[in-house]
């Protein structure tokens, strides 16, 4: 760091993204990307939009918003788009968190949450998961701050029911509750209809996972128009042109191409079921994940060692070096061929460790 860096960030620890190798070919199962390409319609519309890159994009994302409203059953004043769900989550931290409304989240959750808290100079309230790795709704009643819950939960893959989320929202009438639905399309039930009942509920979505657009950086928040109005103030104070033309067009195409979306979603869920069963057959503990990833661990090999040996086999997974999740690895769900190669590599490693 230079001597000019603000002292307010002296103790700040930035987010560490998953490894993105360039020099060697790996089967990349470490960052919860979709193994399938974006929708052909998404690609077509993005190419068309490239011809207008000399012009600023529509700050209101009008056509993308229209497609989203039709698909998700919300009004135009109940949704706001940004340059990734990471960006819209940062707006939520800026808009609704302060020293009187600290962020509240689980000890195992999306790794950006503690980073956002630190960046905003806030000490979060961190709530441990239960022994079975679930979130206990009652732990979030009268939370005394802004609640952030990934549902299904990041890295764990387990989900709260719609009623459990409603109970949390009802027990926090004076605070905003944010439900991050990054992985909802892979088997969990959305709580989105509840935004029409609760003015303090916000639901975030990303196009990185189920829509195969991690490289486009597109996400959104859906909530009561009052909350969206607050977020518009934040957005327009930072970057009113938050979504570029090509990502905007690709997002519209992805939403319109329902058949392609559904086919790929089903493949990922089928490949996940195969992976979970295969890992259990090899003696690993795991969860019945509803995300596009599977956590797994074994008493016979440490997560860091397994990570390293899989990398030697040309397969990247994720391991967590510290905290309550430190003895687990996490594998993203790829194509069936990729998952079969992964399972064969794990079997080879485990047989060699006997």
């Amino acid at each position: 760091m230079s001597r000019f860096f603000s002292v307010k960030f002296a103790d700040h620890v930035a987010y560490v993204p998953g490894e993105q190798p360039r020099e060697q070919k790996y089967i990349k199962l470490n960052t919860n990307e979709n193994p399938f390409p974006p929708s052909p319609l998404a690609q077509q519309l993005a190419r068309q939009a490239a011809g207008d890159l000399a012009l600023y994009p529509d700050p209101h994302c009008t056509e993308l918003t229209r497609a989203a409203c039709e698909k998700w059953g919300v009004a135009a004043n109940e949704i706001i788009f940004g340059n990734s769900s990471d960006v819209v989550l940062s707006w939520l931290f800026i808009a609704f968190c302060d020293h009187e409304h600290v962020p509240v989240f689980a000890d195992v959750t999306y790794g950006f949450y503690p980073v956002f808290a630190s960046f905003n100079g806030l000490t979060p309230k961190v709530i441990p998961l239960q022994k079975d790795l679930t979130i206990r709704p009652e732990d979030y009643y009268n939370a005394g701050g802004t609640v952030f819950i990934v549902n299904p939960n990041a890295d764990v893959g387990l989900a709260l029911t719609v009623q459990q989320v409603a109970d949390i929202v009802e027990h926090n009438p004076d605070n905003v509750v944010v439900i991050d639905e990054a992985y909802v399309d892979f088997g969990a039930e959305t709580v989105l209809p509840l935004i029409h009942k609760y003015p303090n509920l916000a639901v975030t979505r990303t196009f990185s996972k189920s829509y195969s657009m991690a490289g486009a950086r597109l996400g959104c928040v859906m909530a009561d128009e009052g909350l969206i109005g607050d977020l518009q103030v934040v957005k327009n104070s930072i970057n009113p042109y938050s979504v570029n033309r090509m990502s905007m067009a690709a997002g519209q195409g992805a939403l319109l191409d329902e058949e392609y979306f559904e086919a790929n979603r089903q493949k990922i869920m089928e490949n996940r079921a195969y992976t979970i069963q295969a890992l259990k057959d090899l003696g690993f503990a795991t969860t019945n994940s509803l995300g596009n990833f599977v956590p797994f661990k074994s008493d016979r090999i440490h997560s860091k060692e397994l990570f390293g040996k899989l990398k030697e086999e040309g397969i990247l997974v994720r391991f967590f070096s510290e905290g309550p999740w430190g003895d687990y690895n996490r594998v993203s769900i790829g194509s069936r061929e990729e998952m079969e190669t992964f399972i064969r590599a794990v079997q080879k490693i485990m047989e060699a460790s006997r």
Side-chain angles (χ1 to χ4, degrees), residues 343-354:
I343 291 297
R344 286 195 297 270
V346 172
Q347 184 175 16
K348 175 185 173 180
I349 292 165
M350 298 305 289
E351 288 176 349
S353 69
R354 287 178 180 173

Side-chain angles (χ1 to χ4, degrees), residues 69-353:
C69 289
E70 183 174 341
K71 178 162 186 177
W72 292 329
V74 298
N77 61 0
E78 294 175 329
I79 186 169
I80 183 172
F81 282 91
N83 178 221
S84 79
S85 64
D86 292 336
V87 165
V88 299
L89 284 163
S90 74
W91 297 344
L92 287 158
F93 271 79
I94 292 169
F96 304 119
C97 295
D98 52 36
H99 292 290
E100 295 182 1
H101 306 84
V102 298
V104 181
F105 46 77
D107 59 345
V108 177
T109 188
Y110 183 30
F112 236 133
Y113 292 172
V115 174
F116 286 143
S118 171
F119 195 79
N120 286 280
L122 301 172
T123 300
K125 179 180 179 181
V126 179
I127 301 176
L129 295 182
Q130 299 296 292
K131 289 184 178 180
D132 62 359
L133 304 179
T134 60
I135 286 175
R136 181 175 179 265
E138 292 82 356
D139 291 340
Y140 294 81
Y141 290 178
N142 304 308
T146 303
V147 176
F148 291 85
I149 295 175
V150 192
N151 198 48
N153 196 7
D155 300 332
V156 181
L158 302 179
L160 295 169
T161 67
V162 173
Q163 185 57 57
Q164 286 174 319
V165 170
D167 290 342
I168 292 171
V169 178
E170 288 180 355
H171 283 85
N172 288 279
D174 298 320
N175 288 290
V176 172
V177 175
V178 178
I179 301 298
D180 182 344
E181 291 194 335
Y183 305 103
V184 74
D185 291 326
F186 300 112
E189 187 176 2
T190 180
V191 301
L192 183 57
L194 295 181
I195 69 168
H196 298 123
K197 182 177 181 181
Y198 301 109
N200 61 323
L201 172 64
V203 177
T204 67
R205 293 278 180 89
T206 178
F207 283 68
S208 295
K209 314 303 180 187
S210 55
Y211 289 102
S212 304
M213 286 176 50
R217 314 310 297 135
L218 183 63
C220 65
V221 184
M222 290 171 279
D224 177 83
E225 63 178 304
L227 296 187
I228 297 299
D230 298 336
L231 295 172
Q232 289 284 5
V233 172
V234 174
K235 168 183 175 284
N236 292 330
S237 299
I238 298 173
N239 180 7
Y241 302 107
S242 177
V243 182
N244 71 74
R245 283 181 172 272
M246 293 180 70
S247 293
M248 201 182 301
Q252 180 187 357
L255 290 170
L256 293 175
D257 199 344
E258 181 66 32
E259 184 176 349
Y260 185 86
F261 164 81
E262 186 60 31
N264 286 345
R265 188 176 78 93
Q266 291 296 330
K267 290 175 188 174
I268 289 171
M269 291 192 292
E270 291 168 4
N271 293 346
R272 181 184 65 203
Y274 159 79
T275 303
I276 290 173
Q277 188 57 56
L279 285 168
K280 289 180 177 179
D281 290 345
L282 291 173
F284 282 85
T286 183
T287 69
N288 292 319
S289 172
L290 294 176
N292 66 335
F293 56 83
V294 176
F296 61 105
K297 70 172 182 176
S298 171
D299 294 335
R300 290 173 46 204
I301 188 169
H302 190 271
S303 61
K304 185 175 183 179
E305 181 183 359
L306 181 54
F307 165 83
K309 289 185 178 297
L310 282 168
K311 190 172 183 179
E312 291 173 2
E313 295 289 329
I315 300 171
L316 293 180
V317 298
R318 198 78 184 264
F319 86 96
F320 304 93
S321 59
E322 55 188 38
W325 207 231
D327 52 351
Y328 276 86
N329 292 104
R330 187 197 69 200
V331 61
S332 305
I333 300 302
S335 66
R336 178 54 68 92
E337 181 182 2
E338 289 174 329
M339 302 320 296
E340 289 174 349
T341 301
F342 161 73
I343 291 297
R344 286 195 297 270
V346 172
Q347 184 175 16
K348 175 185 173 180
I349 292 165
M350 298 305 289
E351 288 176 349
S353 69

Side-chain angles (χ1 to χ4, degrees), residues 42-77:
Q43 296 183 53
Q44 176 189 338
L45 294 183
R47 284 192 295 268
Q48 292 173 359
D52 292 324
L53 288 181
L55 304 174
Y56 284 109
D58 173 11
H60 306 294
C61 302
T62 304
E63 295 304 318
L64 174 59
T65 296
R66 182 177 291 115
C69 289
E70 183 174 341
K71 178 162 186 177
W72 292 329
V74 298
N77 61 0

